Amino acid sequence: MNDAQINLVKATWESLTPGADEVAHLFYSNLFEMEPKYREMFGTDMESQGKKLMMMLNTAVRSLDAIEAVVPAVQALGQRHVKYGVVADDYTAVGAALLKTLEQGLGDAFTEETQEAWTLTYGTLSGVMIEAAEEVEARGSA
């Protein structure tokens, strides 16, 4: 990611954070609409789950210009997801739900450049999570 893309992700994220609870609700609504099977992975306290999601995204977005600082937390998240039954293919649906949520939340500000910057951001973060999860799985089967 280049500086312009990082700044674009940060600026668009900042415009969404005042409505963080609504954004989280929209994200999970989109995810469950796209992939109803994911609903069973979550408990009943979706408000708490939404807050966790927004906190993690907030930390990751704010750390994009020094991504190495947040990599250990993202790796740990990927490792934790293994015990919930998350597999690499699941990250595709989550990415699609995130992009749809961003498009809905940003409206006209969700330009082609914005979509590309967020796609790169999500690809980077999900790649770290998938790699960490695969390491856990490899240790478990060794």
Side-chain angles (χ1 to χ4, degrees), residues 13 16 22-36 57 91-111 114-116 118-119 122:
W13 180 250
L16 293 174
E22 183 180 324
V23 171
H25 176 75
L26 186 58
F27 168 79
Y28 284 111
S29 294
N30 287 331
L31 180 62
F32 300 152
E33 181 181 313
M34 294 172 156
E35 293 289 344
L57 282 170
Y91 288 90
T92 301
V94 170
L98 176 62
L99 290 174
K100 183 176 180 181
T101 302
L102 292 165
E103 181 179 15
Q104 292 167 318
L106 294 170
D108 291 341
F110 191 73
T111 63
T114 303
Q115 181 177 356
E116 182 179 337
W118 273 100
T119 299
Y122 180 74

Side-chain angles (χ1 to χ4, degrees), residues 56 70-84 91 125 128-133 135-136:
M56 186 60 193
V70 76
V71 164
V74 176
Q75 288 171 323
L77 185 60
Q79 292 167 347
R80 283 195 307 274
H81 279 86
V82 171
K83 69 181 171 188
Y84 303 126
Y91 288 90
L125 297 172
V128 169
M129 292 175 70
I130 291 167
E131 188 176 302
E135 289 173 11
V136 166

Side-chain angles (χ1 to χ4, degrees), residues 36-115:
K37 67 181 182 181
Y38 292 143
R39 181 63 189 97
E40 65 191 46
M41 289 180 144
F42 296 88
T44 56
D45 187 3
M46 291 308 297
E47 183 177 336
S48 175
Q49 183 64 39
K51 288 185 187 314
K52 290 176 190 176
L53 169 74
M54 297 305 287
M55 262 189 347
M56 186 60 193
L57 282 170
N58 196 48
T59 299
V61 167
R62 289 183 178 193
S63 301
L64 283 176
D65 45 7
I67 196 75
E68 58 280 350
V70 76
V71 164
V74 176
Q75 288 171 323
L77 185 60
Q79 292 167 347
R80 283 195 307 274
H81 279 86
V82 171
K83 69 181 171 188
Y84 303 126
V86 175
V87 297
D89 288 346
D90 295 330
Y91 288 90
T92 301
V94 170
L98 176 62
L99 290 174
K100 183 176 180 181
T101 302
L102 292 165
E103 181 179 15
Q104 292 167 318
L106 294 170
D108 291 341
F110 191 73
T111 63
E112 199 171 304
E113 293 82 15
T114 303
Q115 181 177 356

